[in-house]
């Protein structure tokens, strides 16, 4: 049992949102007087952001981050990052009829990217320029957004953020259509950006892909020591400032009395108290199971209705492959942030629709996967990861629990499928070089995050589930916050700062959604 029984702040979950929430608190308080505690159910912090070892191979969960220098400076943390120069993403467009593959390289840097696209697709040069310049201006407006605006600020934002106001209820597909781009390759490129949100282009709120694209064009990076560097360095810093961390400890309940948060109840039945609690776990689980929807409904019916209608993002399958030393991954052009093998067109829409219906829609004619090569950055034994998105939870969790043999067969079947596609279209003789195979399924993600759907990207950014329509960070329970509304290492680092800014009446970021030093 912990020594202190009343904290200044309790954080539920020690992923990146939890670590950044706890660390920001520790930076702004005398923790001897106002102690902070992060409670994490797993034996280590980091949540989805981690690296793990299998038979001498270092595998990573994540693959790419934008420029986060300002945030790292804010936290006073140094993480050695490699920046992808040249191209940071490659698309391998498979024509299934001819089996031919067209490669499209995406150069780093906004101007280089723009110039190359305009040069390569002269028929659409003006339209591409218009689209990219407008999208850049929209992206820059994000820095003028307030997170929890008052009425005057809302009115002001109509003038300072007109492009966001105009487009946030639009899907990316509708937004993109305004620019009349007709070149199929260019449509393919921007559709793939949209899909990084986990949603198809015709369902995602337009500012999400616009922001992801622009931030990655300002620089795409990967930690040299693997993604584990993030939780490791954040945890070290947090502990050095006097923050407390309880590992292997599950929170079962968030205690509420008369509309105010009082603390948490752990799995072992003990209680720890605080007038401020930040929950960083699946928001449906937090509100329905940990607080109780009846309590929320009594305080704010609209918020409770929103909880009932929250849509979580897709899950994923990750196939990490350790290879022998004979293979030259660099020569295959794999030293970039992300490669996508796809049959193109509206493939993601169809796979997504199948997923919604509980089916896995990948076939020999229609497939799409990401290929990443961590070892060219982290060193060590050569390895690659195949990222399969979308993939729903369907019966994965049930099989894992009740029928391990069928679970393993299903895992192997799909691993073989995607390995075969990678071998055929990107890495010749791949299978001959495989030494170690480690497959994560939606059941793996559900187990680690505690999110029953195994959602990997938090709440899905549909126009009615994002921005001003999202489930708000400030909950109806006084003192209870949930800084969860968009995925990524960058966004989760920011979320921890935002929630402290809210608690401290805008002392840190002046109520802005984005941090500017
Ligand atoms: C395979 C994969 C690849 C990704 N790739 C990228 C990428 O390349 N770039 C990028 O920017 N982002 C990427 N992301 C997204 C990014 O990892 C997430 O957005 C981010 O890590 C979410 O952090 P979080 O702290 O909000 O949530 P989580 O990481 O889910 O952390 C929540 C924590 O809460 C703990 N917890 C849950 N329930 C309880 C409980 N009852 N009591 C105590 N603790 C509890 C969990 O154990 C977990 O540690 C990827 C995600 C996945 C899954």
């Amino acid at each position: 049992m912990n020594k202190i029984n009343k904290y200044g702040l309790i954080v539920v979950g020690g992923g990146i949102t939890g670590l950044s929430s706890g660390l920001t608190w520790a930076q702004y308080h005398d923790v001897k007087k106002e102690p902070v505690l992060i409670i994490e159910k797993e034996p280590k912090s980091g949540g989805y952001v981690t690296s793990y070892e299998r038979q001498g191979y270092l595998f990573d969960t994540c693959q790419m981050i934008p420029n986060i220098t300002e945030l790292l400076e804010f936290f006073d943390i140094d993480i050695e990052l490699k920046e992808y120069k040249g191209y940071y993403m490659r698309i391998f467009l498979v024509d299934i009829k001819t089996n031919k593959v067209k490669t499209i390289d995406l150069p780093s840097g906004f101007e280089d990217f723009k110039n190359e696209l305009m040069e390569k697709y002269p028929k659409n040069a003006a339209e591409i320029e218009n689209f990219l310049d407008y999208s850049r201006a929209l992206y820059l407006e994000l820095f003028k957004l307030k997170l929890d605006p008052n009425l005057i600020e809302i009115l002001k934002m109509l003038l300072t953020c007109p492009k966001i106001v105009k487009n946030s209820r639009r899907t990316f597909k509708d937004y993109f259509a305004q620019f009349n781009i007709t070149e199929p390759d260019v449509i393919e490129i921007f559709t793939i950006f949209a899909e990084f949100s986990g949603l198809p282009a015709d369902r995602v709120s337009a500012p999400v892909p616009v922001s992801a694209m622009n931030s990655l064009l300002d620089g795409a990076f990967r930690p040299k020591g693997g993604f584990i560097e993030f939780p490791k360095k954040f945890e070290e810093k947090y502990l050095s400032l006097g923050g407390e961390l309880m590992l292997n400890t599950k929170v079962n309940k968030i205690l509420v009395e008369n509309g105010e948060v009082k603390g948490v109840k752990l799995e072992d039945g003990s209680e720890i108290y605080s007038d401020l609690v930040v929950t960083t776990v699946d928001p449906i689980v937090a509100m329905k199971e940990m607080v109780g929807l009846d309590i929320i409904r009594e305080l704010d019916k609209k918020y409770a209705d929103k909880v009932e209608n929250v849509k979580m993002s897709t899950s994923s399958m990750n196939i990490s492959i350790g290879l022998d030393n004979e293979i030259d991954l660099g020569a295959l052009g794999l030293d970039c942030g992300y490669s996508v093998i796809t049959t193109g067109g509206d493939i993601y829409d169809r796979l997504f629709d199948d997923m919604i219906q509980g089916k896995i829609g990948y076939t020999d004619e229609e497939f799409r996967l990401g290929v990443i090569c961590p070892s060219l950055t982290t060193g060590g034994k050569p390895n690659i990861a195949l990222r399969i998105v979308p993939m729903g939870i369907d019966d994965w969790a049930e099989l894992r629990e009740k029928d391990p043999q069928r679970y393993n067969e299903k895992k192997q079947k799909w691993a073989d499928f995607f390995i075969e596609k990678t071998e055929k279209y990107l890495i010749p003789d791949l299978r001959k070089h495989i030494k170690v195979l480690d497959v994560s399924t939606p059941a793996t993600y559900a187990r680690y995050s505690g999110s029953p759907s195994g959602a990997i990207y938090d709440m899905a950014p549909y126009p009615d589930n994002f921005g001003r329509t999202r489930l708000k960070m400030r909950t109806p329970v006084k003192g209870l916050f949930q800084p969860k509304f968009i995925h990524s290492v960058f966004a989760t680092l920011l979320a921890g700062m935002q929630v402290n800014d809210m608690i401290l009446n805008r002392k840190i970021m002046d109520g802005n959604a984005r941090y500017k030093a």
Side-chain angles (χ1 to χ4, degrees), residues 14 48 82 104 118 120 122 176 295 303 410 421 432:
Y48 278 155
K82 165 164 136 177
I104 307 172
M118 288 170 66
K120 240 171 139 181
F176 186 74
I295 294 179
Y303 199 92
K410 182 169 173 174
K421 299 294 168 251
K432 273 199 339 219

Side-chain angles (χ1 to χ4, degrees), residues 12-18 39-42 44 46-49 61-66 227 249-252 280-281 290 316 318 387 445 448-450 456-458 484 486-490 492:
V12 183
I16 299 300
T17 310
I39 306 175
E40 166 56 49
K41 70 171 171 52
E42 294 297 314
K44 63 177 185 180
Y48 278 155
V49 178
T61 48
C62 297
Q63 49 284 156
M64 203 164 47
I65 47 169
F227 272 89
T249 309
K250 190 171 175 216
V251 172
N252 269 5
T280 71
V281 307
M290 292 182 168
S316 162
N318 220 51
R387 289 261 293 128
Y445 296 115
Y448 276 108
S449 66
I456 56 161
Y457 294 152
D458 221 296
K484 299 281 283 182
I486 192 161
H487 76 282
S488 85
V489 173
F490 172 82
T492 49

Side-chain angles (χ1 to χ4, degrees), residues 167-427:
N167 294 296
S168 61
R169 300 304 298 267
R170 280 196 172 142
T171 66
F172 182 76
K173 191 170 184 180
D174 289 346
Y175 169 79
F176 186 74
Q178 304 171 82
F179 298 93
N180 302 317
I181 293 175
T182 50
E183 284 278 7
D185 283 5
V186 183
I187 296 173
E188 196 65 54
I189 291 168
F190 292 114
T191 306
I192 284 177
F193 272 115
E195 293 160 3
F196 275 146
S197 68
L199 284 178
D202 66 355
R203 273 157 264 192
V204 63
S205 171
V208 177
V210 168
S211 167
M213 174 179 78
N214 275 281
S215 59
L216 283 172
L217 282 172
D218 285 343
F221 300 81
R222 181 175 194 111
K224 288 195 177 163
F227 272 89
I228 191 89
E229 288 284 286
F230 277 92
K232 198 172 124 214
K233 293 275 173 75
F234 273 77
E235 184 184 313
E236 269 169 23
K237 183 86 196 183
Y238 169 74
L239 295 176
S240 77
L241 294 179
E244 290 181 40
L245 173 65
M246 282 174 95
L247 296 171
N248 292 309
T249 309
K250 190 171 175 216
V251 172
N252 269 5
K253 287 273 168 213
I254 293 172
L255 305 170
V256 179
E257 264 175 43
N258 303 322
E260 295 180 15
V261 78
K262 290 293 162 204
V264 297
K265 185 172 186 168
L266 307 181
E267 200 173 29
D268 68 5
S270 58
E271 295 183 354
I272 309 178
Y273 304 108
S274 177
D275 295 335
L276 287 173
V277 173
V278 166
T279 162
T280 71
V281 307
D282 179 307
I284 304 177
V285 174
M287 293 299 111
K288 283 191 167 174
E289 291 170 25
M290 292 182 168
V291 177
L293 206 56
D294 46 341
I295 294 179
I296 302 281
R297 192 170 296 286
E298 238 173 66
L299 297 168
D300 184 340
K301 185 179 170 310
K302 260 190 172 165
Y303 199 92
D305 289 344
K306 191 90 216 162
V307 172
E308 299 255 52
N309 291 310
V310 161
K311 297 177 210 94
M312 295 304 287
S313 72
T314 167
S315 193
S316 162
M317 187 169 183
N318 220 51
I319 304 161
S320 289
I321 307 173
L323 300 161
D324 64 23
N325 288 318
E326 314 289 304
I327 199 157
D328 188 349
L329 295 166
L332 289 163
L334 282 170
D335 195 8
C336 75
Y338 206 85
S339 300
V340 183
I341 306 175
T342 175
T343 48
D346 57 1
I347 164 83
Y348 195 89
D349 303 37
R350 289 200 296 281
L351 292 170
F352 194 86
D353 287 337
D354 283 339
M355 180 192 78
I356 300 278
Q357 290 165 32
K359 291 188 281 190
I360 300 178
Y362 298 88
T363 65
D364 284 334
E365 286 72 43
E366 289 192 322
F367 51 86
R368 177 193 188 285
L369 67 149
V371 183
I372 305 107
C373 180
S375 55
L376 288 173
T377 302
T378 55
K381 292 181 167 191
N383 65 66
I384 58 167
L386 311 184
R387 289 261 293 128
I388 320 304
V389 182
M391 178 72 78
I393 190 81
D394 108 76
D395 61 353
W396 285 105
E398 208 185 319
L399 283 180
R400 186 178 176 281
E401 201 187 307
K402 298 191 180 143
D403 194 343
Q405 192 187 332
R406 269 187 61 215
Y407 174 71
N408 285 328
E409 283 165 9
K410 182 169 173 174
K411 224 161 83 154
Q412 191 64 48
K413 173 187 146 185
W414 286 108
D416 287 342
F417 176 89
F418 291 107
I419 289 169
E420 192 256 326
K421 299 294 168 251
T422 311
E423 182 172 70
K424 190 161 177 186
Y425 299 110
L426 183 57
I427 308 179

Side-chain angles (χ1 to χ4, degrees), residues 88-104:
Y88 73 99
M89 194 167 122
R90 305 180 84 193
I91 300 170
F92 296 87
L93 200 53
V94 177
D95 180 338
I96 217 71
K97 286 195 195 101
T98 60
N99 262 336
K100 289 218 167 86
V101 182
K102 181 194 248 183
T103 308
I104 307 172

